[in-house]
Amino acid sequence: MAESQTNIQQDSTVDNLIKDLFRTVRLNKGFNIWMGFLSVSLVICLYAYYIQLRDGLGVAGIRDYVSWGIYISNFVFFVATSLVGMLVSGVVGLSGQKWVTPLTRIAEIIAVAFAAVAGLVIVSDMGRPERLVNVFIHGRVQSPILWDVTVVTTYFLISLLLLYITLIPDLAYGKDHLEGRPKLLQKLYDILSLGWKGRKAEVKILKKSTIVMLILIIPVALSIHTVTSWLFAVTLRPGWDSSIFGPYFVSGAFVSGLSCLVIAMYFFRKNYKLEDYITDFHFDKVAKLLVLVSLVYLYFNLNEFLVPGYKMKKFDAVHLRELLAGEHALLFWSVQGLGLIIPIILLLIKPFRKPLPMLIIGIFVLAGSWLKRYIIVVPVQEHPFLPIQHEPSNFMVYSPTLIEILISIAPIIMVLMIISVLAKLFPIIPVWETVVHKGLIKDETEIENNNHI
Amino acid sequence: MEDESKNPKPKSRREFVKNIGLIGLGGIALGSSLYAAKHFEEKKRGQNVKLLTADGKLVEVDLLDVKQLDVDRLTNNQERGRKGIPGKSWVMVVDLSKCRNARKCIDACQSAHHLRPEQYHINTLQMKDTDRTPAYHMPKPCQHCDNPPCVSVCPVDATFKRSDGPVLIDNERCIGCRFCIAACPYSARSFNWFEPKDAEKDKDLVYDVELNVPQKKGTITKCCFSADRLRINQLPYCVSACPNGVYYFGDENEDAITNGTTKETVRLSKLLSDNGAYQLMEELGTKPRVFYLPPKNRLFPFSDNTENEKKS
Ligand code: SF4
Ligand code: SF4
């Protein structure tokens, strides 16, 4: 650090800034109550899972025809939302947009949490979870499930590494700014910081590895959601048998990821009093980005529904009628309207790009994103090629059971727990990067780096 | 994996891995006797135990041999089940003009495979192709596709295509992801959502891939083309049970096919071409092994006789 500092004046500004950003690393009563609440809820949900393990997957509403229900919708939603890490840090960050710095860690934490839990969501949908090892023993490469397992794991690891690497300088700062915090936490910072001193060579390595991670994360993130879309697109079913499912899912993922980011931004800003760092300007920028990705998503929606709707082929027609004018019409149009079209229109108007209206819009978009996954997964299966006959009525239509809903809430609780813990243990705004970007430390590697790229 | 500790003899890793599917079987069925076997291993032989074999015979086995024997039985069954009967290529022909929805095929099938009433390996569907053509009943088993989408998507090779035609399922390996259900365009697969109907009764049976009995909670069950019957040169359960002569079954290579009711054997190629046979949604590229003869010249009116249906 000493090498980078030029004078005492700057030193104290830097010090204040660091102190300010480390304010949030503190266990308080509110946090304990919140975690207690989450833990109790999680235990209830896990009990529901125990019942499923004991009695069989049939405790959920899924049956032979609609055999993928809200577990799978949930899985798709989790994979989708985790893409925000790649979008914010990778795409926006790499393109040299400095404004995004205070948001990168939030996005990466969201990515890590959702990617980590996505795997568990899929396990909850397995009839024999104890045979998971079979996937490794008898795995067959032609099954998209194998591809999915591989890329989701890779994405999780890269996201985790990215989060960690960018955290190293902050951990080193933490050693001097954690007075009064638990000894264990100080020790953790000490170990994880790997003896970072902020020397020129170290900064260089850090920057290089960050860039490598950011470049790597883009194709991996694209593939996790593309492959997830292929779980559906490789089947012959009308409604899933689509060649644009890859980009359709990826663009949808950006929408759900960004809406999740908006909600997290609002929450952290308010609760951690970060108004100086996450400003209206940031909300405005993210809003514009959200409009952009939503428009792309809308475009894919148009292709996905209008083109088959124009032709109305025999089996497509049955499915589309149910969706656009039949049993699922209300859900379909609410999701498209309240979760996509109206948000786009509102976000084009400046006053709606302020934090509070954006929080509300974000919640609508996120809820819409979840329900959209349901619309993609469930209705298709209610209309297979051949009629469903001689079956009990609960085989004909799908409705999730209470146990199933509880089991689906469990991963959401886990995500909240992971995000809450990470955001408590570590500064939620990247400290070192903020210092560098504010020009408080001279970045001696800048010139060399530019020469490199 | 807990069962490893009950294993009397140490095994090679590969063998152990192969036998992972045995969990529960050895454990539940013979747990206590195995435990005893472990204890008495160093002591004398000659302690016998009575066992019921898969085909229902009561036999007496030395206690020390019990586990070893069963491991082999299961592995044997699993290995044999994956090998087709050499030189055979099984096909089925369903004559729609004869089906009166007696549903005897379904009864025979469900009792052979120990299924619940709502679990169908074969089902009869009321079909109506166009507004102007009359309705008819269509028995629908698994089509035993030669290009089976269900097999392509299975992550663990639990469902597989055999050289003699049938697409089978190894429920000792299936992880219950139900990707195959999503992929099958003929809705031919069923799942054990709960403990199977005969779980209690079947707990001592060694699993037979060709019959898919005992059924297992959390795994797929599907039509096996009665691979166990084909093994002993018999017609499938459904085929023999039909009172109306709807089914023909035979070997494509011999170009001979036998009617399950009349036991009359005819030329397959002639039967197909004389009657304008077709396959179900062959435009999907699945290459089914089941052929349908159109519902023409029916000598009885269509009746919605769902009373034949078992009430569940
Ligand atoms: S009918 Fe379905 S289950 Fe049978 S082989 Fe074809 S795809 Fe597989
Ligand atoms: S449910 Fe079983 S048979 Fe079907 S794809 Fe999954 S593992 Fe394979």
Side-chain angles (χ1 to χ4, degrees), chain B residues 97-113:
Chain B
S97 65
K98 298 198 193 122
C99 180
R100 293 163 172 261
N101 198 26
R103 291 176 78 83
K104 292 281 183 276
C105 50
I106 298 169
D107 294 345
C109 171
Q110 290 185 330
S111 78
H113 297 289

Side-chain angles (χ1 to χ4, degrees), chain A residues 64 67 128 143 237 389-390, chain B residues 126 153 178 182 190 217 309:
Chain A
D64 286 357
S67 94
R128 307 218 52 124
S143 171
R237 287 177 188 258
Q389 291 176 2
H390 312 294
Chain B
Q126 288 182 20
V153 298
R178 307 182 313 291
S190 184
K217 180 175 92 176
E309 206 178 315

Side-chain angles (χ1 to χ4, degrees), chain B residues 91-260:
Chain B
V91 288
M92 178 188 264
V93 178
V94 181
D95 187 349
L96 296 175
S97 65
K98 298 198 193 122
C99 180
R100 293 163 172 261
N101 198 26
R103 291 176 78 83
K104 292 281 183 276
C105 50
I106 298 169
D107 294 345
C109 171
Q110 290 185 330
S111 78
H113 297 289
H114 305 192
L115 299 174
R116 290 169 185 267
E118 71 275 15
Q119 291 181 305
Y120 294 107
H121 285 187
I122 184 167
N123 194 354
T124 58
L125 303 177
Q126 288 182 20
M127 301 294 284
K128 196 163 162 42
D129 293 340
T130 70
D131 289 343
R132 287 163 177 275
T133 44
Y136 59 94
H137 296 288
M138 181 181 83
K140 185 221 58 185
C142 162
Q143 307 291 303
H144 296 278
C145 309
D146 277 348
N147 180 21
C150 56
V151 171
S152 315
V153 298
C154 178
V156 295
D157 201 14
T159 193
F160 55 91
K161 176 79 185 168
R162 239 166 58 154
S163 63
D164 57 343
V167 169
L168 300 185
I169 162 86
D170 180 349
N171 80 12
E172 290 288 339
R173 187 185 282 188
C174 173
I175 61 172
C177 65
R178 307 182 313 291
F179 200 173
C180 52
I181 292 191
C184 171
Y186 302 97
S187 311
R189 302 183 146 249
S190 184
F191 194 72
N192 282 302
W193 297 102
F194 296 102
E195 209 56 81
K197 186 177 108 238
D198 290 340
E200 203 37 49
K201 262 196 269 169
D202 292 349
K203 66 180 197 291
D204 294 337
L205 294 185
V206 179
Y207 174 63
D208 180 2
V209 177
E210 295 184 334
L211 182 63
N212 200 32
V213 165
Q215 302 285 339
K216 275 223 138 151
K217 180 175 92 176
T219 65
I220 287 288
T221 181
K222 71 175 289 296
C223 165
C224 311
F225 241 18
S226 296
D228 61 318
R229 302 269 289 176
L230 302 178
R231 182 72 64 190
I232 53 171
N233 221 355
Q234 302 256 323
L235 289 173
Y237 299 102
C238 49
V239 172
S240 339
C242 177
N244 296 320
V246 171
Y247 298 101
Y248 295 83
F249 198 90
D251 179 7
E252 199 183 10
N253 292 340
E254 286 173 9
D255 199 19
I257 195 152
T258 308
N259 188 293

Side-chain angles (χ1 to χ4, degrees), chain A residues 7-278:
Chain A
N7 58 44
I8 296 166
Q9 169 76 48
Q10 260 192 13
D11 197 24
S12 76
T13 329
V14 172
D15 224 49
N16 285 339
L17 184 72
I18 299 174
K19 241 194 206 98
D20 199 30
L21 287 175
F22 268 95
R23 222 177 350 109
T24 62
V25 184
R26 181 171 47 90
L27 297 182
N28 54 8
K29 209 161 141 217
F31 178 74
N32 291 342
I33 293 173
W34 169 239
M35 287 306 279
F37 166 72
L38 289 181
S39 312
V40 171
S41 321
L42 186 63
V43 168
I44 296 170
C45 296
L46 289 180
Y47 180 70
Y49 184 60
Y50 161 74
I51 294 177
Q52 177 174 307
L53 278 183
R54 191 189 62 196
D55 297 349
L57 211 44
V59 297
I62 37 182
R63 286 296 179 268
D64 286 357
Y65 297 88
V66 182
S67 94
W68 282 351
I70 58 174
Y71 296 151
I72 295 287
S73 328
N74 220 15
F75 170 70
V76 179
F77 172 77
F78 271 64
V79 175
T81 310
S82 76
L83 251 66
V84 70
M86 162 275 210
L87 178 67
V88 170
S89 305
V91 178
V92 183
L94 267 186
S95 63
Q97 304 275 342
K98 293 247 157 88
W99 62 266
V100 87
T101 308
L103 308 181
T104 49
R105 186 153 300 151
I106 301 180
E108 282 154 20
I109 288 181
I110 294 176
V112 166
F114 276 91
V117 178
L120 291 179
V121 181
I122 211 73
V123 171
S124 73
D125 186 62
M126 287 170 59
R128 307 218 52 124
E130 82 280 10
R131 291 187 186 167
L132 193 62
V133 294
N134 281 9
V135 176
F136 304 101
I137 301 171
H138 302 293
R140 289 169 83 244
V141 280
Q142 56 271 63
S143 171
I145 289 190
L146 263 278
W147 315 340
D148 221 19
V149 170
T150 318
V151 286
V152 172
T153 317
T154 316
Y155 181 70
F156 167 66
L157 291 177
I158 295 184
S159 298
L160 194 64
L161 262 180
L162 184 62
L163 177 65
Y164 175 58
I165 291 177
T166 52
L167 199 59
I168 292 176
D170 295 8
L171 292 167
Y173 279 149
K175 278 187 286 184
D176 311 326
H177 294 86
L178 284 178
E179 309 90 26
R181 313 309 205 285
K183 276 268 160 329
L184 200 67
L185 188 68
Q186 298 187 17
K187 187 102 192 134
L188 183 78
Y189 268 60
D190 197 29
I191 297 169
L192 288 181
S193 69
L194 304 176
W196 169 272
K197 290 276 184 304
R199 290 192 199 92
K200 204 168 132 188
E202 288 173 348
V203 174
K204 226 163 110 181
I205 296 176
L206 180 87
K207 285 202 156 187
K208 259 208 185 123
S209 31
T210 311
I211 286 184
V212 169
M213 285 296 143
L214 289 179
I215 293 173
L216 258 181
I217 206 170
I218 293 176
V220 174
L222 287 180
S223 52
I224 62 168
H225 217 38
T226 307
V227 170
T228 303
S229 82
W230 288 348
L231 295 182
F232 306 96
V234 297
T235 69
L236 295 160
R237 287 177 188 258
W240 286 352
D241 181 6
S242 158
S243 49
I244 62 160
F245 252 38
Y248 173 48
F249 270 48
V250 170
S251 57
F254 290 155
V255 176
S256 79
L258 275 184
S259 60
C260 185
L261 178 70
V262 168
I263 297 170
M265 276 165 70
Y266 183 89
F267 172 84
F268 286 126
R269 175 181 134 115
K270 186 112 188 129
N271 280 274
Y272 289 5
K273 315 238 169 338
L274 296 171
E275 285 86 351
D276 291 344
Y277 303 92
I278 304 175

